[in-house]
Amino acid sequence: EAGVAQSPRYKIIEKRQSVAFWCNPISGHATLYWYQQILGQGPKLLIQFQNNGVVDDSQLPKDRFSAERLKGVDSTLKIQPAKLEDSAVYLCASSSLRGNTEAFFGQGTRLTVV
Amino acid sequence: DAKTTQPPSMDCAEGRAANLPCNHSTISGNEYVYWYRQIHSQGPQYIIHGLKNNETNEMASLIITEDRKSSTLILPHATLRDTAVYYCIVTRYNFNKFYFGSGTKLNVKP
């Protein structure tokens, strides 16, 4: 089966600019996650969707970050305006609702804010 | 979710077994132990999970102590491709939420 697709793979922007990341989860997966991974640290959960509803966004910096999952499939994560400390890899993952199953991760988008 | 503690790094000789420990002394009865690994420049990859019984799949074995307060991930014959950061995560059944710590950097050496 096809894995989690993310684009772009790399992005360089100047601070105060905006940026958007796109994620296409594995077909049929109801749960979708966005993680932020700063260099040298483990991934940090930003937001979790179940279908098109938000389950957990407690660690999402809502003053500048937003995410949506239209029609319960694809998702976009936006940062506006970006700060230097937003430089990180943004990982998307998906999992099935059926039982206690693992999350499958995409390759991530590496964002550099200069 | 229960907190986990892992050593920051470990070395292993190629071809030998790699035993990666994880402490989760506050684990609850309905919490599972999951292991993921992250090879450089890739997203995390699921390895194995278990509740209380030992588990084995094509990638690894998971040994959970009887009191469930710690576990060990075993890679039976480590290869250079197993060099990665290994994460131990504890999460509730059907919770489908994965919080990552700092993990253990496993260096497999020739």
Side-chain angles (χ1 to χ4, degrees), chain B:
Chain B
D1 292 336
K3 183 177 172 58
T4 62
T5 304
Q6 299 178 254
S9 66
M10 293 181 63
D11 290 337
C12 178
E14 189 177 20
R16 304 295 295 269
N19 298 285
L20 293 99
C22 179
N23 285 318
H24 31 79
S25 58
T26 60
I27 193 169
S28 300
N30 61 351
E31 289 182 319
Y32 281 68
V33 180
Y34 278 74
W35 283 84
Y36 281 79
R37 74 178 182 184
Q38 189 171 25
I39 295 170
H40 184 62
S41 296
Q42 296 183 19
Q45 175 193 23
Y46 165 80
I47 301 173
I48 198 167
H49 76 279
L51 181 62
K52 55 183 179 182
N53 298 318
N54 298 337
E55 302 287 345
T56 295
N57 63 21
E58 65 278 3
M59 290 183 68
S61 294
L62 174 60
I63 308 297
I64 303 174
T65 58
E66 194 168 342
D67 63 7
R68 303 188 68 237
K69 293 185 177 182
S70 65
S71 60
T72 301
L73 179 75
I74 301 172
L75 308 178
H77 306 286
T79 71
L80 298 178
R81 287 190 301 270
D82 293 321
T83 292
V85 178
Y86 288 77
Y87 297 98
C88 170
I89 299 168
V90 170
T91 189
R92 282 177 279 159
Y93 179 79
N94 258 344
F95 198 45
N96 280 25
K97 191 166 293 186
F98 304 97
Y99 296 107
F100 290 78
S102 299
T104 297
K105 176 71 165 67
L106 176 67
N107 298 299
V108 180
K109 300 184 175 182

